[in-house]
Amino acid sequence: MQLSFQNDRVLAVVAHPDDAELLCAGTLARARPDGAVIAICVLCRGDKGQPSKKVANLTDLRRKEMAASAKLVGAELFTGDFPDGTLMDTPRARSKVIEIYRKFNPTLVLAHAAEDYHPDHRAASLIAEAASWFCASRGHRTRSPAIQTPPALWWMDTVNMSGFNPGFYVDISQHVGLKKKMLACHQSQLARGNDTDFSPLEEMMRLQYRARGMQAGVEAAEAFRAHFAFKRGRAW
Ligand SMILES: [Zn+2]
């Protein structure tokens, strides 16, 4: 079976500025040359990801880092602007994300899995799922009109694969270079590699795409599960 993103509009909805790089950047990089239009929506500012050598305007810096990374893969960037650690599935957060869906009109949303480790990731998961239904509901009013069809939704792998049971894999062997370059845009976070409250991101990312690749019989892969809720499934 050949997976093609040819007619897709793919929107990755993530909690923090470097989450898309870790969990789905290879898939975005693969979707782009297929002809897909792609976008990344980062819900939190990244304002609490301070390296031990403090950065004065961390929110501004992280905004620049995520913009540079999105540009590399040719993705439009949307932001939720919520402070780190405060993201919750509230009516306000849903409205914000519903409006982003209506502006971008995705055919496929990539969202954090419910079993991910970080409370912001789990909140982002709930919000992304709720918005995937309500974006097509005329009764839920935001600035833009409701879109015609709810997008399909895939749950992304969890950070370090904990508790995630893959449904399928996307072969990203040809796109590892771009995934790495995108992660390299997040210098403020790579600087936290040896901090006790953080992890060496490059190594963690490499181990993950290699392990998922090994499970799928390719050099490198990203894992997902399809969300087969009413109107969010799709046929290939
Ligand atoms: Zn995160």
Short mmCIF file of all heavy atoms in Angstrom, two decimals, residues 14-20 22-23 44 62 112 116-118 120-121 159 198, ligand 1:
data_model
loop_
_atom_site.label_atom_id
_atom_site.label_comp_id
_atom_site.label_asym_id
_atom_site.label_seq_id
_atom_site.Cartn_x
_atom_site.Cartn_y
_atom_site.Cartn_z
N VAL A 14 0.32 20.86 18.33
CA VAL A 14 1.23 20.43 19.40
C VAL A 14 1.20 21.41 20.57
O VAL A 14 0.75 22.55 20.42
CB VAL A 14 2.68 20.28 18.89
CG1 VAL A 14 2.79 19.17 17.85
CG2 VAL A 14 3.21 21.60 18.33
N ALA A 15 1.69 20.96 21.72
CA ALA A 15 1.66 21.82 22.90
C ALA A 15 2.81 22.83 22.88
O ALA A 15 2.61 24.01 23.16
CB ALA A 15 1.73 20.96 24.16
N HIS A 16 4.03 22.36 22.59
CA HIS A 16 5.22 23.20 22.77
C HIS A 16 5.99 23.40 21.46
O HIS A 16 5.84 22.60 20.52
CB HIS A 16 6.14 22.57 23.83
CG HIS A 16 5.44 22.33 25.13
ND1 HIS A 16 5.28 21.08 25.68
CD2 HIS A 16 4.80 23.20 25.95
CE1 HIS A 16 4.58 21.18 26.80
NE2 HIS A 16 4.27 22.46 27.00
N PRO A 17 6.84 24.43 21.41
CA PRO A 17 7.50 24.79 20.15
C PRO A 17 8.33 23.68 19.51
O PRO A 17 8.53 23.72 18.30
CB PRO A 17 8.38 25.98 20.55
CG PRO A 17 7.68 26.59 21.71
CD PRO A 17 7.08 25.45 22.46
N ASP A 18 8.85 22.71 20.28
CA ASP A 18 9.69 21.67 19.66
C ASP A 18 9.01 20.30 19.59
O ASP A 18 9.64 19.31 19.22
CB ASP A 18 11.02 21.54 20.42
CG ASP A 18 10.83 21.39 21.92
OD1 ASP A 18 9.67 21.32 22.37
OD2 ASP A 18 11.83 21.33 22.65
N ASP A 19 7.73 20.21 19.90
CA ASP A 19 7.06 18.90 19.90
C ASP A 19 6.85 18.34 18.49
O ASP A 19 6.96 17.13 18.29
CB ASP A 19 5.69 18.99 20.60
CG ASP A 19 5.83 19.14 22.11
OD1 ASP A 19 6.79 18.60 22.68
OD2 ASP A 19 4.96 19.80 22.71
N ALA A 20 6.55 19.19 17.53
CA ALA A 20 6.32 18.70 16.16
C ALA A 20 7.60 18.07 15.62
O ALA A 20 7.56 17.04 14.94
CB ALA A 20 5.86 19.84 15.26
N LEU A 22 9.93 16.51 17.30
CA LEU A 22 10.15 15.20 17.91
C LEU A 22 9.20 14.14 17.37
O LEU A 22 9.59 12.99 17.19
CB LEU A 22 9.97 15.29 19.44
CG LEU A 22 10.95 16.19 20.21
CD1 LEU A 22 10.55 16.25 21.68
CD2 LEU A 22 12.37 15.69 20.05
N LEU A 23 7.94 14.52 17.10
CA LEU A 23 6.91 13.49 16.89
C LEU A 23 6.36 13.36 15.48
O LEU A 23 5.84 12.31 15.12
CB LEU A 23 5.75 13.77 17.86
CG LEU A 23 6.15 13.78 19.35
CD1 LEU A 23 4.97 14.17 20.22
CD2 LEU A 23 6.71 12.43 19.78
N CYS A 44 1.34 26.40 23.21
CA CYS A 44 1.99 27.11 24.33
C CYS A 44 3.19 27.92 23.84
O CYS A 44 3.77 27.63 22.80
CB CYS A 44 2.45 26.13 25.40
SG CYS A 44 1.12 25.21 26.17
N ARG A 62 11.83 31.72 21.52
CA ARG A 62 11.20 30.45 21.11
C ARG A 62 10.25 30.67 19.94
O ARG A 62 10.08 29.80 19.10
CB ARG A 62 10.51 29.80 22.30
CG ARG A 62 11.54 29.44 23.37
CD ARG A 62 11.12 28.29 24.22
NE ARG A 62 11.14 27.03 23.50
CZ ARG A 62 10.71 25.87 24.01
NH1 ARG A 62 10.24 25.85 25.24
NH2 ARG A 62 10.75 24.76 23.30
N HIS A 112 -1.39 15.18 19.75
CA HIS A 112 -0.78 14.39 20.83
C HIS A 112 -1.72 13.27 21.26
O HIS A 112 -2.94 13.45 21.31
CB HIS A 112 -0.54 15.28 22.06
CG HIS A 112 0.61 16.22 21.91
ND1 HIS A 112 1.92 15.81 21.81
CD2 HIS A 112 0.65 17.58 21.88
CE1 HIS A 112 2.71 16.86 21.72
NE2 HIS A 112 1.97 17.94 21.75
N ASP A 116 0.22 10.70 26.57
CA ASP A 116 1.53 11.35 26.62
C ASP A 116 1.85 11.84 28.04
O ASP A 116 0.95 12.00 28.86
CB ASP A 116 1.59 12.50 25.60
CG ASP A 116 2.99 12.68 25.02
OD1 ASP A 116 3.97 12.39 25.73
OD2 ASP A 116 3.11 13.11 23.87
N TYR A 117 3.14 12.09 28.30
CA TYR A 117 3.59 12.31 29.67
C TYR A 117 3.26 13.69 30.23
O TYR A 117 3.15 13.88 31.44
CB TYR A 117 5.11 12.10 29.74
CG TYR A 117 5.92 13.32 29.29
CD1 TYR A 117 6.62 14.10 30.20
CD2 TYR A 117 5.96 13.67 27.95
CE1 TYR A 117 7.33 15.20 29.80
CE2 TYR A 117 6.68 14.79 27.53
CZ TYR A 117 7.36 15.56 28.46
OH TYR A 117 8.04 16.66 28.05
N HIS A 118 3.13 14.69 29.36
CA HIS A 118 3.08 16.07 29.85
C HIS A 118 1.63 16.57 29.92
O HIS A 118 0.88 16.39 28.96
CB HIS A 118 3.89 16.95 28.89
CG HIS A 118 4.26 18.28 29.46
ND1 HIS A 118 3.32 19.25 29.73
CD2 HIS A 118 5.46 18.79 29.82
CE1 HIS A 118 3.94 20.31 30.23
NE2 HIS A 118 5.23 20.06 30.29
N ASP A 120 0.40 19.43 29.49
CA ASP A 120 0.07 20.29 28.33
C ASP A 120 -0.20 19.45 27.09
O ASP A 120 -1.06 19.79 26.26
CB ASP A 120 1.21 21.27 28.02
CG ASP A 120 1.33 22.40 29.03
OD1 ASP A 120 0.34 22.67 29.74
OD2 ASP A 120 2.42 23.01 29.11
N HIS A 121 0.53 18.35 26.92
CA HIS A 121 0.30 17.47 25.76
C HIS A 121 -1.08 16.84 25.86
O HIS A 121 -1.80 16.74 24.87
CB HIS A 121 1.34 16.35 25.69
CG HIS A 121 2.74 16.82 25.40
ND1 HIS A 121 3.70 15.98 24.86
CD2 HIS A 121 3.34 18.02 25.57
CE1 HIS A 121 4.83 16.67 24.71
NE2 HIS A 121 4.64 17.89 25.15
N VAL A 159 6.21 11.17 23.53
CA VAL A 159 7.63 11.47 23.71
C VAL A 159 8.27 10.29 24.44
O VAL A 159 7.79 9.88 25.50
CB VAL A 159 7.82 12.78 24.51
CG1 VAL A 159 9.29 13.00 24.86
CG2 VAL A 159 7.28 13.97 23.73
N PHE A 198 15.66 18.07 32.33
CA PHE A 198 15.37 17.95 30.90
C PHE A 198 16.09 16.75 30.29
O PHE A 198 16.64 15.91 31.01
CB PHE A 198 15.76 19.26 30.20
CG PHE A 198 14.95 19.53 28.97
CD1 PHE A 198 13.57 19.63 29.02
CD2 PHE A 198 15.56 19.69 27.73
CE1 PHE A 198 12.81 19.87 27.89
CE2 PHE A 198 14.82 19.94 26.58
CZ PHE A 198 13.44 20.04 26.66
ZN ZN B 1 6.04 19.32 24.75
#
